[in-house]
């Protein structure tokens, strides 16, 4: 693969590319879904392909081929150059890609049990057991979904600076959803675990207990009430803190959004954007997480990035282009969904660092508020400066005690306000659930996390 | 690109191979898509992409157990390996006696407006010109600091064959345009967005969506707050399209309904919307991106009324869910919208969801709203189990004494979906299409708004 990659890069340069890079991939994946005791999906993917980029004078051309023969790669390289020339004719912003260190590496992520060494029948049995554990947990569980995914593949990243990085990676992911019904009320609970690594993760207690966890949550929510809407003091659990870190700040720190004029953090580097208790980090180097990687999809060595240090905005997430245009070193934040997509600036494992408060102390100190637990989903528009995320379950806090359970609570805020409203950071750091972050129709595997934190005044959305 | 006859041969051969390999039932999709897209950032062309994506997807059934595998490219050996893989996956799964059969043999419907030669002939230079025009219009205001645009065109040749003898093919074209304007005024910042999708070139849409993005960006710079309370809400087709694409697209999914996971379960024949509301899923709408002559399992395309006079009259079925109820499929097995994909088994989905129009103009709706909210955009969707919607109104405006006012900062909307649809008291006369949903403006008589004021 390396030889093919190098020749394709040389071909792009010989046709006029000032800079060229590619991602040549071959992988296999499995997806199993068991619904209500029967397999709904057992599928496999066996793709191979290559995406090549050519850069000329401030514009990129990108071409994709599923055929990795030398002739097809050469044709794709020529197409990429041709597309760059088309774009470059109408480019107003001229810049260059600064010479970056040429990396040569062969990376193999830890994987004790390769997914391809496990029989499909055993993977089906694993998912079926998860499904069964939900249905047997409580007679009020009326429908169940157990899902298993794995990925195993090789990626070669090469560029015209001489970088040639081969990465062999595997990851596994399992998730459960349970629907509980009582009278006319239906509620859903869910759980997930996943990490870079092999099938060994599916043999841990965390994985085998996913069904019970999802079922218990669905049952709990049956006696929940709609949350009252309005401004409230909110305590976020570890998963919600992670979602806040990712949605409210992480996306606004992506340097491509800054350069596009689409982030409210533009021009605020070095400024105070959060309470001094807040340190926010994005770190792809943490092994055994779903967001782990050691070299990014441009072949840049990944490193820990402190985006906010003690309340001050310290760094953005960069790829080769944004670091060149902003005059800083690239920090390994470029990722592509597959070879078929051009790389974008992305997060990895994003979290708020632990503070001094005890978790119980934080709640006991709250007279009137809402405790948000578990993350469902969230999104942000950095150009509007607003974000929203939704929890799995919420609880009233009154006089420091946790009371009434609520459902479908959402929390929204303004990027530049929310971290300044942090009034307490607990010491109980954990990572959150694995998940996929969507951007420009591309998914990236990520994890987030943090400790419990308290926000002084945010808008809670609800039906009551 | 491989032509329809070549793709059909590949699909037919793969079906035959799968049956010889032990599959009891099988369908195969062979597709090749050529896509060109261009991104423009801050007024400057940033990237031009070209991709050709050929491949074959095979789904097999053994005792009702489904297996699916795909390969990229059309290499016969790779297709054979994928067929063998699909059959082995079927064997690894559990038998499912509720799977009855794939759809019976039928002829694809003749649907016009699937393929536009003009769109097929578009060059990368043409797409570059489109995004530049969008950015020039969207950026034409002193307060607009940044205009970003992207456009993509795709040509897809696809063939579908199954073990019941179906063999169909079609050529599809599609086009997507998205434009964003970011406006600044001192510390205030706001963005306006609009987009358009079609199976043909829509030259008039460039000006329309670019002006809308610009106007919304500038309008949103003036912001205010609203106290929490119950208000009438006018919902734009942009927000309504996003909400209904999930609320109906997934809520009326017969698989979710049969499993008791949807808020619409048990509501067939019951009112779920105001009596003026009619919702139809129609894969035969000319030039709409969800249109097709047959669905992802080979069912001929036909309009399907889902909500008639406010009453829920049908769910969305594929062969599996219809087999469970011993009724014909409604033809809602989808393999993609604008271009079909070979990378996954078909899933139940709407094609083009069309909401009936009324006779009110947007201006009349605003005039007749004393104190309320105009919701233009949200990226939230309802809890499908409960039908409860609780989310951020990402772009919304205050209405006071019948006049549209400033944008609302940090306002949320909370309402059950059946309440939302039942409380429609005004339907707009003109419609727009977003996220596969063609809908007018609607006014909801009352919804819970969580405000920051």
């Amino acid at each position: 693969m390396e030889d093919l990659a190098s020749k394709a890069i040389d071909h792009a340069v010989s046709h006029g590319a000032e800079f060229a890079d590619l991602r040549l991939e071959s992988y296999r994946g499995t997806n199993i879904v068991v619904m209500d005791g029967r397999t709904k999906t057992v599928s496999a993917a066996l793709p191979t392909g290559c995406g090549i980029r050519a850069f000329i004078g401030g514009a990129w051309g990108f071409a994709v081929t599923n055929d990795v023969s030398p002739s097809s790669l050469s044709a794709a390289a020529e197409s990429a150059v041709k597309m760059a020339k088309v774009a470059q004719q109408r480019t107003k912003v001229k810049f260059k890609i600064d010479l970056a260190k040429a990396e040569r590496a062969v990376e193999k992520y830890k994987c004790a049990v390769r997914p391809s060494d496990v029989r499909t029948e055993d993977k089906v049995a694993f998912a079926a057991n998860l499904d069964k554990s939900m249905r047997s947990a409580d007679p009020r569980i009326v429908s169940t979904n157990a899902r298993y995914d794995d990925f195993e593949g090789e990626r070669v990243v090469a560029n015209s600076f001489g970088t040639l990085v081969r990465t062999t990676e595997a990851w596994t992911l399992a998730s459960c959803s349970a629907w509980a019904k009582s009278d006319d009320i239906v509620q859903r609970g869910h759980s997930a675990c996943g990490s870079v690594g092999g099938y060994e993760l599916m043999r841990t207690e965390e994985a085998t207990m996913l069904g019970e966890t999802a079922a218990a949550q669905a049952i709990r929510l049956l006696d929940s009430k709609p949350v009252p809407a309005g401004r409230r003091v909110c305590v976020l659990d570890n998963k919600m803190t992670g979602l806040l870190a990712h949605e409210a700040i992480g996306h606004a720190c992506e340097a491509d959004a800054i350069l596009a004029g689409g982030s409210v953090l533009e021009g605020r580097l070095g400024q105070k954007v959060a309470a001094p208790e807040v340190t926010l980090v994005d770190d792809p180097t943490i092994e055994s997480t779903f967001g782990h990687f050691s070299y990014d999809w441009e072949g840049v060595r990944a490193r820990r990035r402190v985006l906010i240090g003690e309340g001050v905005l310290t760094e953005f997430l960069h790829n080769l282009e944004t670091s060149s245009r902003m005059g800083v070193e690239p920090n390994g934040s470029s990722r592509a969904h597959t070879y078929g997509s051009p790389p974008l600036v992305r997060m990895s494992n994003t979290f708020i660092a632990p503070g001094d408060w005890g978790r119980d102390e934080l709640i006991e100190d709250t007279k009137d508020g809402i405790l948000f637990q578990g993350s469902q989903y969230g999104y942000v528009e950095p150009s509007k400066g607003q974000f929203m995320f939704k929890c799995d379950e919420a609880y009233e806090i009154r006089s420091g005690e946790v009371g009434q359970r609520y459902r479908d609570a959402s929390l929204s805020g303004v990027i530049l306000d929310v971290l300044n409203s942090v009034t307490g950071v607990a010491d109980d750091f954990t990572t959150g659930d694995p998940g996929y972050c969507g951007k420009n129709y591309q998914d990236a595997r990520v994890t987030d996390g943090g400790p419990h934190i308290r926000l002084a005044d945010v808008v809670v959305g609800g039906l009551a | 690109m491989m032509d329809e006859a070549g793709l059909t041969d590949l699909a037919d051969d793969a079906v035959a191979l799968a049956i010889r390999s032990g599959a009891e039932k099988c369908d195969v999709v062979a597709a090749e898509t050529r896509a060109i897209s261009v991104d423009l950032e801050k007024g400057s062309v940033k990237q031009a992409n070209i991709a050709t994506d050929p491949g074959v997807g095979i789904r097999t059934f053994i005792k009702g157990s489904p297996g699916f595998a795909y390969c990229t490219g059309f290499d016969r050996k790779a297709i054979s390996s994928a067929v063998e893989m699909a059959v082995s996956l079927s064997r690894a799964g559990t038998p499912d006696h509720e799977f009855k059969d794939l759809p019976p043999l039928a002829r694809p419907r003749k649907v016009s407006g699937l393929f536009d030669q003009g769109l097929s002939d578009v060059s990368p230079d043409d797409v570059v010109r489109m995004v530049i025009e969008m950015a020039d219009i969207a950026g034409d205001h002193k307060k607009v600091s940044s205009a970003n645009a992207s456009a993509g065109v795709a040509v897809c040749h696809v063939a579908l064959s199954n073990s019941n003898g179906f063999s169909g093919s079609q050529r599809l074209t599609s086009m997507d345009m998205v434009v964003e304007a970011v406006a600044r005024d001192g510390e205030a910042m706001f963005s306006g967005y609009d987009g358009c999708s079609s199976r043909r070139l829509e030259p008039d849409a460039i000006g329309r969506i670019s002006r809308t993005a610009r106007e919304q960006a500038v309008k949103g710079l003036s912001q205010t707050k609203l106290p929490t309370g119950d208000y009438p809400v006018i919902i734009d087709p942009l927000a309504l399209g996003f909400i209904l694409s999930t609320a109906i697209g997934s809520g009326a999914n017969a698989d979710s309904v049969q499993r008791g996971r949807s808020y619409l379960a048990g509501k067939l024949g019951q009112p779920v919307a105001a009596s003026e509301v009619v919702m139809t899923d129609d894969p035969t709408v000319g030039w709409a991106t969800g249109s097709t002559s047959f669905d992802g399992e080979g069912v001929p395309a036909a309009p399907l009324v889902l909500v008639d006079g406010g009453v829920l009259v049908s769910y969305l079925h594929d062969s599996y869910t219809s087999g469970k109820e011993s009724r014909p499929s409604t033809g809602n097995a989808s393999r993609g919208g604008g271009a079909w994909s070979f990378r996954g088994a078909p899933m139940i989905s709407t094609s083009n969801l069309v909401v009936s129009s009324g006779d009110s103009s947007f201006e009349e709706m605003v005039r007749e709203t004393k104190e309320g909210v105009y919701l233009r955009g949200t990226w939230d969707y309802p809890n499908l189990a409960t039908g409860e919607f609780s989310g951020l109104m990402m772009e919304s405006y205050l209405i006071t004494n019948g006049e549209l006012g400033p944008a609302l900062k940090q306002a949320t909307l909370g309402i059950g979906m059946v309440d939302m649809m039942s409380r429609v008291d005004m339907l707009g006369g003109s419609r727009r299409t977003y996220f596969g949903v063609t809908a007018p403006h609607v006014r909801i008589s009352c919804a819970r708004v969580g405000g920051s004021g």
Side-chain angles (χ1 to χ4, degrees), chain A residues 148-439:
Chain A
Y148 166 82
D149 290 278
D150 65 39
F151 173 98
E152 198 175 340
E154 293 198 327
R155 174 178 62 253
V156 169
V157 176
N159 71 26
S160 53
F161 295 150
T163 286
L164 201 55
V165 176
R166 182 191 190 99
T167 303
T168 303
E169 71 175 34
W171 53 257
T172 52
L173 180 73
S175 61
C176 286
S177 294
W179 284 260
K181 186 175 183 181
S182 178
D183 299 323
D184 275 341
I185 296 171
V186 178
Q187 290 293 332
R188 172 178 170 262
H190 74 100
S191 59
C193 75
S195 172
V196 167
Y199 195 77
E200 63 276 8
L201 176 64
M202 298 300 120
R203 293 170 176 158
T204 62
E205 188 179 352
E206 183 188 12
T208 53
M209 291 299 290
L210 286 173
E212 281 90 335
T213 305
Q217 184 185 83
I219 296 296
R220 275 200 307 276
L221 285 169
L222 284 174
D223 71 353
S224 60
K225 291 183 176 174
V227 69
R231 297 193 80 101
R232 303 295 292 270
V233 173
C234 294
V235 175
L236 311 188
D237 81 342
N238 314 76
K239 292 178 181 178
M240 282 296 278
T241 298
L243 197 54
L244 175 88
H246 179 102
E247 295 294 348
I249 301 298
H251 277 296
C253 287
E254 292 167 344
D256 51 356
I258 303 283
L259 287 173
S263 171
V264 290
L265 294 180
E266 182 180 353
R268 295 184 188 272
L269 218 50
Q271 294 181 13
K272 180 181 174 297
V273 294
E277 297 92 332
V278 176
T279 290
L280 196 147
V281 175
D282 186 83
D283 188 355
T285 68
I286 308 169
E287 294 183 1
S288 301
T289 58
F290 203 48
H292 167 62
F293 54 90
S294 51
Y295 286 86
D296 78 357
W297 277 246
E298 288 181 331
V300 175
R301 180 94 192 163
R303 66 166 174 82
R304 174 185 166 96
R305 287 80 60 128
V306 178
L307 305 178
I308 296 173
E310 297 178 349
V312 175
L313 185 64
T314 52
E315 186 173 7
F316 293 131
L317 297 166
H318 286 285
N319 61 12
L320 287 175
E321 179 192 322
T322 63
S323 60
S324 297
R325 293 173 67 181
M326 295 171 84
V328 297
E329 288 293 312
N331 55 17
S333 304
S334 182
R335 304 178 66 180
H337 174 53
T338 68
Y339 63 86
S341 306
L344 304 169
V345 176
R346 307 304 298 266
M347 285 174 268
S348 58
N349 302 304
T350 313
F351 53 85
I352 288 177
D356 297 330
W357 287 73
R359 179 255 187 206
D360 294 343
E361 188 187 7
L362 202 59
I363 292 171
E364 285 161 14
D365 188 63
T366 304
K367 282 184 183 162
D368 179 16
I370 293 182
L371 170 64
F372 280 74
Q373 285 191 344
S375 58
Q376 255 190 61
Y377 71 91
Y379 62 88
V380 63
E381 276 203 33
S383 55
K384 286 193 175 75
Q386 292 191 113
F387 64 87
M388 193 294 309
F389 43 83
K390 204 173 258 187
C391 66
D392 288 324
E393 48 194 314
Y395 294 84
E396 179 184 42
I397 302 174
R398 184 162 288 180
S399 300
E401 293 201 355
V402 175
Q404 174 64 48
R405 182 180 293 117
Y406 296 125
R407 65 175 183 264
D408 287 319
S410 63
L411 190 153
S412 66
V414 173
I415 293 171
L416 291 175
D417 296 344
V418 65
L419 289 185
N420 277 306
S421 72
V422 172
T423 59
V425 179
D427 57 6
D428 63 334
F429 178 90
T430 63
T431 54
D433 288 337
Y436 296 99
C437 169
K439 178 177 174 182

Side-chain angles (χ1 to χ4, degrees), chain A residues 36 38 144 260 377 379 381, chain B residues 98 146 259 261 379-380 388:
Chain A
D36 301 327
R38 288 192 283 267
T144 51
Y377 71 91
Y379 62 88
E381 276 203 33
Chain B
E98 294 195 293
S146 169
R259 296 174 193 276
R261 300 174 176 184
W379 306 118
D380 274 295
E388 290 171 351

